């Protein structure tokens, strides 16, 4: 189509679909071979589609067992709605098992930590035990070394007056 024929495009399609031509379009088609060929092409395409439409629509009805399949699917969905008690029962049983296991582990740890009194006393004596040679390793200067001032400290405790006390 030429640029001058673009204005007739919509009217051309409407004429092909409805079969009625306006006076202006009819006059244009007498003078323009391109538009008249386009109108013939669109009418031929419409005719082909009109013949194919019944063939396509022929298989569009639902199958014979469609109703049975829909009812079976609805029944299966309804059964799924009745089964939540199974889920809750399983969840409750799982919770009970977890609680029982936690109690068992707690009791087992408590009994494993309990040490008989005589064993505890023996362990305390062993912790306080000193080798006989420890007495030989004691030196007279050990007490001086323990009381020795650290870096920045003094042997003498002399109070220092501050500006606030004056």
């Amino acid at each position: 189509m030429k640029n001058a024929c673009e204005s007739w495009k919509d009217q051309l399609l409407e004429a092909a679909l409805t079969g009625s031509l306006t006076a202006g379009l009819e006059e244009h088609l007498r003078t323009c071979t391109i538009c008249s060929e386009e109108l013939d092409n669109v009418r031929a395409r419409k005719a082909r589609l009109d013949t194919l439409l019944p063939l396509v629509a022929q298989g569009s009805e639902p199958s014979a067992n469609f109703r049975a399949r829909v009812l079976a699917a609805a029944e299966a969905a309804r059964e799924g709605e009745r089964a939540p008690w199974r889920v809750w029962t399983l969840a409750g049983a799982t919770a009970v098992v977890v609680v029982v296991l936690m109690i068992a582990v707690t009791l087992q740890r408590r009994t494993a930590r309990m040490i008989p009194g005589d064993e505890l006393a023996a362990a305390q004596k062993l912790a306080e035990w000193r080798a006989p040679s420890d007495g030989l390793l004691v030196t007279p200067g050990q007490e001086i070394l323990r009381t020795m001032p650290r870096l920045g400290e003094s042997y003498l405790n002399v109070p220092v007056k501050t500006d606030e006390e004056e």
Side-chain angles (χ1 to χ4, degrees):
M1 282 187 180
K2 295 184 279 181
N3 289 338
C5 297
E6 285 293 323
S7 62
W8 297 102
K9 187 177 180 181
D10 289 335
Q11 289 183 18
L12 244 169
L13 291 174
E14 187 175 330
L17 293 175
T18 61
S20 63
L21 295 173
T22 61
L25 180 62
E26 206 173 313
E27 186 177 319
H28 176 75
L29 289 174
R30 280 189 214 122
T31 59
C32 182
T33 57
I34 296 173
C35 288
S36 60
E37 287 176 7
E38 184 67 24
L39 179 63
D40 292 338
N41 288 339
V42 172
R43 283 180 176 165
R45 190 177 308 143
K46 179 187 178 293
R48 279 195 311 264
L49 289 175
D50 285 344
T51 58
L52 291 175
L53 184 62
L55 297 174
V56 172
Q58 192 175 28
S60 65
E61 293 184 20
S63 62
N65 64 350
F66 176 74
R67 180 183 171 135
R69 286 186 294 145
V70 169
L71 292 175
E75 185 65 31
R78 194 175 318 150
E79 287 177 9
E81 292 174 2
R82 285 189 235 156
W85 65 270
R86 293 180 187 165
V87 173
W88 287 109
T89 302
L90 181 63
T94 304
V96 168
V97 167
V98 168
V99 169
V100 168
L101 285 175
M102 288 175 58
I103 291 172
V105 167
T106 304
L107 289 176
Q108 191 273 336
R109 285 186 178 180
R110 282 187 182 174
T111 57
R113 288 185 192 164
M114 292 183 162
I115 301 173
D118 55 342
E119 290 180 15
L120 186 60
Q124 285 175 340
K125 284 182 185 178
L126 281 175
E128 295 171 4
W129 179 82
R130 302 282 179 239
S133 59
D134 283 351
L136 299 174
L137 296 175
V138 175
T139 62
Q142 243 177 346
E143 188 61 34
I144 293 172
L145 290 174
R146 272 193 218 128
T147 59
M148 180 177 231
R150 294 188 179 134
L151 187 62
E153 293 180 356
S154 172
Y155 280 110
L156 305 171
N157 285 334
V158 178
V160 178
K161 290 185 180 179
T162 61
D163 292 336
E164 295 173 3
E165 295 175 359
E166 291 179 0

